[in-house]
Amino acid sequence: MLVLLILHLVAALAAPLLVRWWGTRACYPLALAPAAAFCWAVARTPAVDDGGTVVETYPWIGQLGLDIALRLTTLSWLMTLLIGGVGALILVYSARYFDTGSPGLAQYAAVLVAFAGAMLLLVLADDLLLLYVGWELTTIFSYLLIGHSTERRSSRWAAAQALTVTTLGGLSMLVGFILLGEHAGSYRWSQIAAQPLPGGGYLITAVLLILAGALSKSAVLPFNSWLPVAMAAPTPVSAYLHAAAMVKAGVYLLGLLAPALATVGPWRPVVQVAGLATMLLGGWAALRQTDLKLLLAYGTVSQLGLLVAVTGSGTPDAALAGVAMLLAHALFKAALFLVVGIIDHGAGTRDLRELSGLRHWSRPLFVVAVLAAASMAGVPPLVGFVAKEAVFAAFLDQPVLLAGFVAGTVLTVAYSARFLWGAFSDRSGVEPVHPHRIAGPMLAPPAVLAAVGLLAGPAAGGLDGLLRPYADLLGRVDAHLALWPGPTPALGLSVLALVGGGLLFAARGPLAPVLARLRSPVRGSQGYEWVVGRFDRLAIEVTGATQRGSLPQYLGIILVTLVLLPGGAMLAASPWRARIPLWDSPLQPVVVVVIAVAAVLAVGARRRLTAMLLVGMTGYGTAMLFVLHGAPDLALTQFLVETATIAVFVLVLRRLPERFSARPLRRSRWTRRAIGVAVGVVAAGLSLVAAGARRAPDISAVFPDLAVVQGYGRNVVNVTLVDIRAWDTMGEIAVLVVAATGVASLIFERSRTGPRPRRPESDWRVNRPGRPVWLRGGPTLYEERRSIVLEVVIRLIFHTVVLFSLFLLFSGHNAPGGGFAGGLVAGLALAVRYLAGGRYELTEAAPVGAGVVLGAGLAVSVGFGLVALLLSGQVLESAKVERPLPLIGDAYLVTSIFFDIGVYLVVVGLVLDILRSLGAEVDRHIEATGAAEGGLTVDKGERA
């Protein structure tokens, strides 16, 4: 099973490349991935036809007790057949539905295959958390598929609505899963179902939350509004997601949980009332549609209501009828959607008021549509008739539900007839359409689905044997799937429904005014828009009341909250009772006094630059405390970070006024001082309380030994970053890349990856004979902004500083340094080069895009992790390579150096990005405004 998931992942990743090579024909090889899932499920039929299971378990997150637990049962076997078989046919259909030059084709193919893989994960997962992962992946992929036509607002709105509704339902379902899993001590459903369930309101709450997720996914009231709107998606997407896959996820979840939860108080009332109401309202709405695709959409809503009510009822006979209807609905509804796609593709319209004579255009297409629509209406000998008979038979003892199902089936028969009449009849007063010829790969998929629906009816006995093991989970099954059940009450009800539906369709003319008047006072889409609008309004009101545009107010609220809540908890811990040493060295209080004085002076400083330098002094004082505490690596990093921060502040302050704004009133000034003192006391107290609250042994105590034995280094800090806690570092450098991208996107008005600003080669100031040039970008600045002494010094020390940064990089495993410190040193070298020569000099020093450096660093670090996984089975695991070298002797290399090289490049790229955005780009902005002050602007003097 895991191989199937990996196969879909590989196919999805390869899809864009295959589409680039072969165009729409790439859909054919991509169809092999879901086809493989179908064939695998067929091969596993003997393992599940007697109620057996196929189980695979792989370790995943051991600390959380989470494994990749996969389990194939009768229900998941059926879903795998549908996901794989229909998915393969949809991809074959897509090869001719789209044109080679269709926009977004590569993304469509990749996302559709990925969606099929996510659905497989959902139905094969035994762990509820793993099921939730697949659930939300289908939500994300469906969002991308529904919004395929990004240029159309309707597509974007439909995708956002589907995402919002199903995501909210999924989150509530997750809470329900957590309630069940925490009570059982396991998240594997096979284990939860075998244990006693919790009682009372706890279980009822969990059940209601889970039902909200299932109903929202299957578009059942009150969450049904998103599905008709989702018809903005391409027709193959509708045929797959909204007939055979995504909307079936909620039905599958009800079927999975019903054997254990159907007897819980609110379960049956919720699913039966919601399902029956959805069936009736959806069927009535389908009769009013003139768009063939919308007619099928509302018909799908109606059928999903039936499936939810039947499958969720939790009785043995209803369970058998539910899975039979699940199969039948996937076959006939996917076929009908594909038929509509062919009509739309050939005739250019889906409006039944504009279609006439299509049955003369393609007899095979007409036959396929008749078979699929007849199965939907429950006409023998199709599989839809078998499933509908089973539904009626299962609810003979529940007259209210049975009457509702019969009424809903009457509507189903009527809109099935309306579909065939609207698509294929000869209509007077309407010009017959003359579409182009149907391609074989477009007609074959719906024909296969219709043929399977025709063959499955007479094979109902064999189908009964395959699906019965699922129904046996709920008890003894009295019903049987059969094409001819004999003269039973269910058969009489089927005849009644067919006759009633036929009469309702025949009376469509006189009933037209009634259909126009009998509609919901508020459509589902209008209700969704109203709710979204109210939330938007609430957000505006809350924002207007709380976000007043005052940074001191925001900061004050945050700090007061810190003082009251964590501060109150700190007081409850009574930290003053513990004996606390005041210092370890006499020099420490001296440094602390310096830090305190600098902080107090920074608060009262009137000039921004003065305040910035005083704040920097507190940072350097902190570094000195590290030195006195015997932590040279931390001290070096703190010194470098503080220096880089000051450089960034200098770049930003160029665009701010020299002095702070007017000081606040005396009363508010004392209030702010009081808040500052309180926060300082609370922060210090929290540090002491947190340090003294440890109950478990300190894991860092074993780090020195681990650094030598596993990391092959004596610098504990560096080995911790690149080996012991390498995952943390990986996350941190990813955050650095995102931060750099965010900073640049706020500053740049043009592409970051375009050509860098180059100094003209014929610049007369640089090429002036007899005058030495220390930095090639220096002469481009105004003379009053140049410093020859600084240019000379930078010219002499730049390469030495860069070499020193490399020394820190390669020696950091056993001495103070490492990739982070080395990257900061190299970044500071670039910073001083920019300060001395301006933006052209920065380009001379680093003639490469910052994005390239950032991407290369992240790629090197991730690549090292993948290589380590392939070689040792553990991501980011270090190895020691020893080799004798000529003239040197024995030498060794620790592979984590490559991870550190990635960190080095990311830090250099970050600094370069900041210099380009807050430095060079700001200079360009200043020049564009015509100002000559506030930046390292270029003197555009005469050229020789």
Side-chain angles (χ1 to χ4, degrees), residues 62 196 292 529 674 721 802 895:
L292 291 177
E529 292 172 5
L721 293 175
V802 173
T895 56

Side-chain angles (χ1 to χ4, degrees), residues 702-713 719 723 878 880:
V702 300
F703 277 19
D705 293 335
L706 285 177
V708 176
V709 175
Q710 295 185 5
Y712 310 104
V719 175
D723 188 288
S878 298
K880 185 177 181 180

